[in-house]
Every structure is written in C-alpha cells, then in structure tokens.
Amino acid sequence: MTRLSNGTLPHLPKTIATPDYDRTKVTVGIVHLGIGAFHRAHQAVFTDEILARDPSWGICGVSLRSADTRDALKPQDGLYTLKVQDGGGETLRIIGSVVETLVAPEDPQAVLARMADPATRIVSLTVTEKGYCHNPAIGMLDENHDDVLHDLKNPGDPRSAIGFIVEALARRQEAGVAAFTLLSCDNLPSNGHVLKRVVSRFAELRDLRLAAFVAKVACPSTMIDRIVPATTDADRTAIADALGVEDAWPVVTEPFRQWVIEDHFPLGRPAWEAAGAVFVPEVSAFETMKLRLLNGSHSTLAYLGYLAGAETVAEAMALPGMQPLIEGLMREEVSPTLPPLAGFDLVAYRLALIARFKNPALRHRTWQIAMDGSQKLPQRLLGTIRDRIRAGASCDRLVLGVAAWMYYARGLDEAGQAIDVRDPLARRIAAMTQGLHDPGEIVAAFVGLEDVFADDLGRDAGFRGALIGALSRLLATGSAAELAGWQTPSP
Ligand code: CS2
C-alpha cells in the first residue's frame, strides 16, 4: 500500500483535514525531546494549528532511545494521522508540524547541533518522569544515576535529556547565542522548577561559568492534559482503510485537550493561545489539581483494575465498586487538599474525568498506566496523603491505591503469575520482597524506599498501619472483592 506523504496528501478523502499551511515554508523553531504518542497528540497538534500564522515554529522531534518513530515518520515526510474518538464517533486529521526527526543514540551530534542552532528558540520535553534522572520524592538530581554519571564524564556525547540540554546550552554560551526556553511537558509538580533544579545542578557539576548561564534559562511550568493510549495494530489497519494509504505511526486520542502554560519565553513563542492553550502567570495550582485528581485516580484504578483482571481503563471503571471508589477518592480525599483556583468549577472537572475514564472508544491499558509507579506515586498519591495526615483527615482510598501498587510492583498477580513490571526500581523491589508473605514485612520493605516515600512518610505509624490493613485485604480476598466493598458511596 502507498504511504502517507507530502505526495499523497492531496489525494486523501476530502473529509480528512490536512495542514492549512505550506509545509515547504516551515522551518524548525522547536526541538522536542521524547517524540512519543503524547507529544504528537498534544503539543504537535496545538503547533499544527498556528503554523499558518508563523511557519518558523516547526518541530524537530528527537527520540532518546529507539529509532521507531524516525523510521516510521521519515518515509511519510513527518506526516501522521490524529484520530480523535469517543462513544459519539471519530474524526481523522493529518498533522504536519513535525518536519524533522532525529534519533539521539545514532547521531547525538546532529541533535546537539539542532539544539544549539540560533533558530531553535524552544526545547520542549516529554521524557516521562524517569527521564529527569531525579529523586522523585524530593525532585533533586540523582547524582548517582547511571546516565548522569555517564554524561558528566562524556559531556560532548550525552545520552540523557539532561545531558543533551546542558551540553547544548554550553555550546550556545560558547557561541554567544542566547539560551532557548526550556518547556517541560511531563506530569511532574511544578515541572519547570524541577527541570530547572535538575539542569542547574548538573551544570554546577560540570563548571561554574556554565552554571551561571544555565541559572538564567527560562523554564516555564505547564499543565498538560490529553489521554493518549499506545497505538495498536488494529488502529493502524482501521486508519489505513479510511485514508486509502498506509500510515505506520498514527496516534489515537480523546476529544478533550488542555494546556496551561506560564508565559515566560524570552526568545518568543508560538501563539498557542490561538489553538486554545491558556497562558497564566502561575501554573502550579492547575498542575496539582490535575496530578492529584486525574493521575492519582488513574494510577489507583490501573493497579486495582489490573489485579482484578481489567485490561483497559474503561473495563476497570465498569468493575463493581470502582466508580464509587474513584468518585469518593476525588471528592472526599483529594479535593479538600487542592489550592484554590478562582472561578474554576471543580465539580464539573471531576464529572468530566469520570466520563473521560469511561470513554468506550479508547483502549487505554491499565498496564500502560501502571508503568513506572515508583516515579509517579510521589506526586499522584503520596503528596495528597501527606496533606491529609497533616490535617488529621482520612485517606483510606488513597492508601488502597498505594497498597495496590505494592501488590503489583512485587511482580505477581492474583493467580501467582508473573507481571511484566516496567519500573526503574523493578529489580530492587523484586529482590527486597522476594519470599515475603507477611503484609507487615512487605509494607516495611516498601516504605524504606526513600526515593519514593522520602524520609517522613515511611516512618508514619498511622500510614504504615493503614497500608498493612489495605494490603492484607488485597492479599486475602483480591482486588475485585475489595472493590465490591466500595459499592455504596459514602454520604
Ligand atoms: C497516565 C497519563 O500513563 C499514565 O500514567 O496517567 O499519561 C495520563 O493519561 C495523562 O497525564 C493525561 O493527561
């Protein structure tokens, strides 16, 4: 079958929207590190919608590991399909904002040259939580991280996002070129601050003149939201049938999208507000709300759902007891901890989240969300738990989410079969829990992980007791039975 490309674009069915700008005029203004499905269904779409106004904001997408995206997109001139779907139907559209793709391990110098180029005014990131090479409990650079050690030793030949950013900034400093704006689009609290702290510390470990330059880099925080499950072969086949040409790398997502950004871009920025982004002076209240309500619920339902045999989020939501549990978690345990957001309708937001989780058209795997729990739990569940404990308030549902993670992360499901646990701490967790059956001993081993629980939460006797209770119930009767106990919403 012919491939989607600039050449085949004019021949697509007329119902499929295509770029409304001349792609030959688009030049690179943004280097994006971590060009996965999330970036292509979110920031690249916002950018696609403003290129007709200003074609100098094309995207160079960089993969830090695998060549898959470049291999798929290059023969397609960077074009790919965005499929937006929910129970009400679907739309297809071709996105053209990615005009170059690079694979960092293959050619790190090409990536650095692009980042150091004065035309590059923004370097954005979706490298997932673990890509920050930090201690997730405290948000500081992990100075013993393998990639950090490697990149400090080989600054001109880096492999981590942090190493690339600092080396590119060093080259800009040497060449007398102003620093680009660094735009973190990952699910971290105050993601701009975390990134700034991590790159600043890394630069300090390299040299102090460079550190002074890095200290002045603008790192606006962002809150970024769209549910984007991994694309499946069935998606690819259905999209090829609709297009009449093959697209090896489409993305599938929901109608909802949200982007709240701090407006601090010294070298300018795309007019993303024209595509619906919201610029605010301070993003942290939005970020806390989203991480605690959306992502906190997501992780809780992913672990409990996976253990109860639900393959997707929508299936997990249909388990008896799951919806009341998640509604109660959001309403009673998370909402009281949130900073005030004037004029924001929290009730409508929570209702919308439930509807989004139940979207029957998305096959969002519980296993996908369960990944990297050790990096996600601190900002999704543990910060909320800390606030609840401090307020002397209950947090049983949040604790159940953490206990379900512990169950899952040990690597054995309810039938005693191995779980394919993907997590930077997976080996450490497997080793420390091997042969343990007593819930008290399992909890004691987990809460000793200071990268996750810091040095306070693990010592909280009330929290430990509640975790032991929840894990005992899960081990004794399983997740489905536990969920069934939450069927009646509390008044
Ligand atoms: C999910 C997020 O995979 C996960 O951990 O919770 O990717 C979630 O879908 C997005 O943050 C939604 O904006």
Side-chain angles (χ1 to χ4, degrees):
M1 204 180 204
T2 328
R3 281 295 268 282
L4 174 66
S5 68
N6 284 337
T8 53
L9 208 49
H11 310 298
L12 298 180
K14 293 286 162 270
T15 48
I16 297 172
T18 53
D20 61 349
Y21 47 88
D22 178 356
R23 290 193 84 220
T24 61
K25 302 246 157 61
V26 177
T27 53
V28 171
I30 301 172
V31 172
H32 184 79
L33 305 180
I35 177 140
F38 186 58
H39 173 73
R40 292 188 300 120
H42 191 282
Q43 306 104 78
V45 176
F46 281 80
T47 304
D48 188 67
E49 289 170 24
I50 58 84
L51 284 175
R53 297 164 173 250
D54 184 350
S56 74
W57 290 110
I59 299 169
C60 165
V62 177
S63 296
L64 289 161
R65 281 190 285 268
S66 122
D68 293 0
T69 298
R70 192 272 323 271
D71 291 350
L73 287 186
K74 203 154 183 211
Q76 303 184 180
D77 302 316
L79 294 166
Y80 60 91
T81 313
L82 174 80
K83 179 175 182 173
V84 176
Q85 60 179 5
D86 64 7
E90 61 179 56
T91 56
L92 297 180
R93 165 177 161 198
I94 309 298
I95 306 298
S97 50
V98 178
V99 290
E100 181 180 50
T101 39
L102 297 174
V103 182
E106 262 177 29
D107 195 350
Q109 298 314 318
V111 175
L112 288 167
R114 213 11 129 194
M115 294 171 79
D117 187 323
T120 297
R121 284 152 292 156
I122 296 176
V123 170
S124 56
L125 297 84
T126 49
V127 293
T128 80
E129 297 83 351
K130 62 177 177 288
Y132 288 74
C133 305
H134 73 317
N135 172 331
I138 52 170
M140 309 284 270
L141 182 72
D142 175 358
E143 295 178 23
N144 294 315
H145 193 291
D146 284 347
D147 288 349
V148 171
L149 295 172
H150 172 274
D151 292 355
L152 285 171
K153 229 179 171 177
N154 310 279
D157 191 18
R159 62 186 188 205
S160 73
I162 307 307
F164 272 100
I165 290 167
V166 176
E167 175 61 13
L169 287 169
R171 293 187 186 187
R172 288 176 87 107
Q173 183 182 31
E174 284 316 311
V177 174
F180 40 67
T181 300
L182 264 177
L183 189 63
S184 165
C185 298
D186 282 294
N187 283 320
L188 295 167
S190 304
N191 47 17
H193 295 271
V194 173
L195 181 56
K196 181 70 178 265
R197 249 195 325 267
V198 169
V199 291
S200 298
R201 180 66 190 143
F202 186 92
E204 255 169 47
L205 295 170
R206 280 191 52 179
D207 84 76
L208 292 179
R209 199 177 138 262
L210 173 60
F213 186 70
V214 173
K216 296 208 193 85
V217 175
C219 296
S221 287
T222 58
M223 182 269 250
I224 186 153
D225 188 8
R226 193 166 214 183
I227 292 175
V228 189
T231 308
T232 64
D233 287 339
D235 295 325
R236 273 184 273 274
T237 307
I239 288 167
D241 287 346
L243 297 183
V245 294
E246 188 195 345
D247 177 353
W249 225 231
V251 284
V252 176
T253 186
E254 60 175 345
F256 184 92
R257 65 182 199 187
Q258 191 177 19
W259 198 4
V260 188
I261 314 169
E262 287 174 0
D263 203 356
H264 183 36
F265 292 78
L267 300 189
R269 61 163 175 83
W272 282 317
E273 66 275 25
V278 178
F279 284 89
V280 297
E282 224 323 294
V283 100
S284 68
F286 288 96
E287 186 69 3
T288 305
M289 176 192 73
K290 190 249 170 177
L291 284 170
R292 291 187 174 189
L293 286 175
L294 189 159
N295 300 106
S297 300
H298 240 182
S299 290
T300 302
L301 70 82
Y303 295 117
L304 289 166
Y306 183 97
L307 293 172
E311 202 189 333
T312 66
V313 172
E315 281 169 33
M317 286 300 283
L319 292 167
M322 183 67 93
Q323 186 170 334
L325 175 86
I326 296 298
E327 283 170 347
L329 179 141
M330 292 203 274
R331 185 182 61 239
E332 290 170 36
E333 300 185 10
V334 179
S335 296
T337 71
L338 298 179
L341 264 175
F344 190 83
D345 188 345
L346 203 55
V347 176
Y349 183 80
R350 291 198 304 255
L351 285 173
L353 282 182
I354 294 289
R356 291 171 65 196
F357 294 159
K358 289 164 84 173
N359 183 339
L362 288 188
R363 288 194 60 75
H364 198 187
R365 293 178 69 196
T366 47
W367 177 81
Q368 188 185 348
I369 300 167
M371 248 181 249
D372 295 340
S374 68
Q375 315 293 300
K376 292 174 174 173
L377 256 54
Q379 56 276 12
R380 295 182 177 207
L381 296 173
L382 302 178
T384 324
I385 290 176
R386 249 184 217 103
D387 287 352
R388 296 290 287 172
I389 293 176
R390 215 171 283 140
S394 66
C395 49
D396 298 339
R397 300 171 183 86
L398 295 161
V399 167
L400 179 61
V402 180
W405 167 66
M406 291 179 174
Y407 193 133
Y408 178 96
R410 291 176 323 148
L412 285 180
D413 69 14
E414 291 183 4
Q417 301 296 315
I419 302 175
D420 178 9
V421 179
R422 304 284 173 94
D423 191 301
L425 299 192
R427 275 160 181 254
R428 207 162 128 199
I429 291 173
M432 86 191 183
T433 55
Q434 205 188 4
L436 296 185
H437 299 287
D438 174 60
E441 287 178 10
I442 297 173
V443 167
F446 270 101
V447 297
L449 294 171
E450 289 205 358
D451 289 5
V452 182
F453 295 93
D455 58 2
D456 57 340
L457 211 47
R459 301 211 178 101
D460 188 291
F463 174 62
R464 289 171 72 138
L467 270 176
I468 294 169
L471 185 60
S472 305
R473 298 196 307 275
L474 288 175
L475 287 165
T477 57
S479 175
E482 170 64 20
L483 285 167
W486 291 92
Q487 273 186 79
T488 323
S490 43

